[in-house]
Amino acid sequence: MTPVLPPAFPETTFVLVLVLLLMAPLAIAGVALINTGLGRSRSAAQALLGNLAIVAVTAIAFALVGATFAGTTGGGHIFHAAGKPWNWLGTGPWFLSGLSSAAPQAQLGMLFEFLAVALAAIIPWGSGADRLRLAAGCAIAAVLAAVVFPLAAHWVWAVDASGGWLAQLGVNFSLGAGFLDPAGAGVVHVLGGLSALAVVWIAGPRRGKFPQGGFATAMPGHNAVYILFGCLLALAGWVAFNLAGAVLWMHAPLASLPVTAINTLLSASGAVAATLAVTRYRFGKPDASLCANGWLTGLVASSASAAVVSPLAALFIGIVAGIITPLLVEVLELAVSIDDPSGAITVHGAGGLWGLIAAGLFAAPAGQLTAQLVGIAALLGLILPLAYLLFWLLNRAVPFRVDADGERIGMDLHELGGGAYPEFVIHRDDSYR
Amino acid sequence: MKFAGLLVMPAGFFLTLSALVLFPPSNAAARTGFVLCGLAVEALGLVVSVRGHMEAEAKNRP
């Protein structure tokens, strides 16, 4: 079968997607606020500055290197096996040359990817909170934007004639509509969550988190207002991402967009309601930070599924996401000794995986679930080992972890020379032993 | 142990790919089963890596 080129955008669609993409940075702002609020007060300025620096570094690294390999419009490296083309790496123009004269759709796709890679790169930063050096956070972001993200983005979002191999699973292997991930549940969130796991494995836990012969020390986030306001900001950004992704990568008709937006809201709502109920049942009172994590997990799951499922299915997907969140956060911390202050491995990693599976379960075409499973296998089986290997090498050149004294006095004083809240008393670290 | 687990994971991925090549679309059940086997191998690799992390973490506790 010959792959079908996407239809050209009418002007109204172009304007709508552009406006949506101008709203999408709210998702980045929301996640940045959540990352900051879930860390400690003496690292708050470094955490938020880190988010800003990471957005900047990813933009530069993606423009210089990553966009070429993401190559969503410029063809790709293709090998043939079993009589099928496997387009595995982009060959776009270097340094964004010719972008201004490219088709409007290609320009919007590139803008979408710039925002998506920034969102993916701030996810591991939240997991490494309170011990990850600013330089290390930027280096991790540069590697993600230049190497790891472009691979996955090309596989899923390449819209040229041959298309990425995951996007073409439907054409080449009769697997539904190919791997469905219009707003980046896999490309952004699973990738970010797996990178967070690799970073946490390499950097280790915060000092005093897991004492010898005792339970994990509770280190609650320092500002619930940041966390919960971040959730509301994230909703606006997520709706924009989901709608823009549906139009750009699935060529969804404009008439279907209100349902996609409603599905996004339903997924988040179901998730936060479920987390609220689970934490109320387990702890006697609802837990604010876990509820925020549940809300975000619902949004992450909607990234894959909102454009392809019914409202009832979106609600169900959210409820499952909300039940998984508090349980998995607890398992990772207490049973597996993983110190993940922002809960990113659960929220983005597990939430993204669930969203991808759910899209396969509830989307109509036959073989869609198998296509989703193949995509998950690619992310889990290639991206995690690749990210771990690259970060392990990077840690030799740019040590991830701050020294013990820096961790004790806080990242703000150690790295920036001043705190985020200079007029407030910062309590000493009782958990430092 | 962590590295061993991470090395197993790509093996699971290639098993998944081989399912696409080996089984025709008409044999969807076998193909999906083979894909699931690949994912199971990846999950096994992940579990081994996690176990490796837990052991190293227990040794390094202050």
Side-chain angles (χ1 to χ4, degrees), chain A residues 304-373:
Chain A
S305 58
V308 294
V309 300
S310 67
L312 195 62
L315 182 63
F316 174 76
I317 290 165
I319 289 171
V320 173
I323 293 170
I324 291 171
T325 303
L327 303 179
L328 193 56
V329 164
E330 208 173 321
V331 166
L332 287 182
E333 180 166 321
L334 300 181
V336 187
S337 303
I338 286 178
D339 181 19
D340 178 9
S342 68
I345 298 165
T346 301
V347 169
H348 298 276
L353 288 176
W354 164 236
L356 292 172
I357 293 169
L361 284 173
F362 295 105
Q368 192 58 52
L369 181 59
T370 310
Q372 299 301 103
L373 293 177

Side-chain angles (χ1 to χ4, degrees), chain A residues 57-398:
Chain A
V57 167
T58 49
I60 295 166
F62 192 69
L64 293 180
V65 184
T68 304
F69 299 130
T72 46
T73 54
H77 291 287
I78 301 172
F79 67 88
H80 290 80
K84 308 288 184 191
W86 300 77
N87 188 342
W88 65 281
L89 186 67
T91 53
W94 287 97
F95 314 128
L96 303 178
S97 60
L99 183 64
S100 56
S101 56
Q105 196 169 344
Q107 296 186 37
L108 289 174
M110 188 55 70
L111 176 57
F112 184 97
E113 290 193 343
F114 265 91
L115 298 171
V117 70
L119 184 55
I122 62 172
I123 293 169
W125 177 248
S127 293
D130 301 326
R131 75 271 206 208
L132 211 59
R133 294 165 59 240
L134 192 56
C138 291
I140 290 166
V143 168
L144 275 178
V147 182
V148 184
F149 175 86
L151 267 181
H154 182 73
W155 296 346
V156 180
W157 290 334
V159 293
D160 54 5
S162 53
W165 72 270
L166 278 176
Q168 296 297 316
L169 284 177
V171 174
N172 291 331
F173 296 99
S174 307
L175 290 178
F179 182 63
L180 282 179
D181 186 16
V187 176
V188 175
H189 300 287
V190 174
L191 187 147
L194 294 177
S195 300
L197 178 63
V199 165
V200 167
W201 269 347
I202 291 166
R206 288 170 287 182
R207 199 163 291 273
K209 178 69 186 176
F210 299 115
Q212 186 78 42
F215 286 114
T217 309
M219 294 182 176
H222 84 281
N223 195 324
V225 178
Y226 285 179
I227 299 167
L228 296 170
F229 182 62
C231 287
L232 292 174
L233 275 185
L235 173 67
W238 241 272
V239 169
F241 258 120
N242 285 357
L243 298 188
V247 176
L248 274 172
W249 313 123
M250 292 179 59
H251 320 299
L254 298 191
S256 70
L257 296 188
V259 174
T260 304
I262 289 168
N263 285 351
T264 307
L265 179 61
L266 278 176
S267 187
S269 304
V272 76
T275 307
L276 206 139
V278 170
T279 53
R280 169 78 176 75
Y281 174 74
R282 282 187 62 75
F283 311 126
K285 289 179 180 175
D287 183 288
S289 64
L290 281 175
C291 285
N293 275 344
W295 173 267
L296 210 52
T297 312
L299 289 175
V300 168
S302 78
S303 294
S305 58
V308 294
V309 300
S310 67
L312 195 62
L315 182 63
F316 174 76
I317 290 165
I319 289 171
V320 173
I323 293 170
I324 291 171
T325 303
L327 303 179
L328 193 56
V329 164
E330 208 173 321
V331 166
L332 287 182
E333 180 166 321
L334 300 181
V336 187
S337 303
I338 286 178
D339 181 19
D340 178 9
S342 68
I345 298 165
T346 301
V347 169
H348 298 276
L353 288 176
W354 164 236
L356 292 172
I357 293 169
L361 284 173
F362 295 105
Q368 192 58 52
L369 181 59
T370 310
Q372 299 301 103
L373 293 177
V374 172
I376 289 170
L379 291 167
L380 209 57
L382 285 186
I383 296 296
L384 177 60
L386 177 67
Y388 187 85
L389 174 70
L390 292 174
F391 294 162
W392 184 79
L393 292 171
L394 190 64
N395 186 40
R396 308 273 147 179
V398 186

Side-chain angles (χ1 to χ4, degrees), chain A residues 82 86 165 169 173 175 201 205 210-212 335-338 370 373 377-378 380-382 384-385 388, chain B residues 2-3 6 9-10 13 16-17 20-21 25 31-32 35-36 39 42 46 49-50 53-54 57 61-62:
Chain A
W86 300 77
W165 72 270
L169 284 177
F173 296 99
L175 290 178
W201 269 347
F210 299 115
Q212 186 78 42
V336 187
S337 303
I338 286 178
T370 310
L373 293 177
L380 209 57
L382 285 186
L384 177 60
Y388 187 85
Chain B
K2 197 186 287 180
F3 281 100
L6 288 169
M9 295 179 77
F13 166 67
T16 303
L17 280 192
L20 300 180
V21 174
R31 189 157 67 168
T32 304
V35 166
L36 285 173
L39 274 170
E42 289 186 9
L46 187 61
S49 293
V50 168
H53 166 79
M54 287 167 67
E57 202 54 58
R61 284 191 177 190

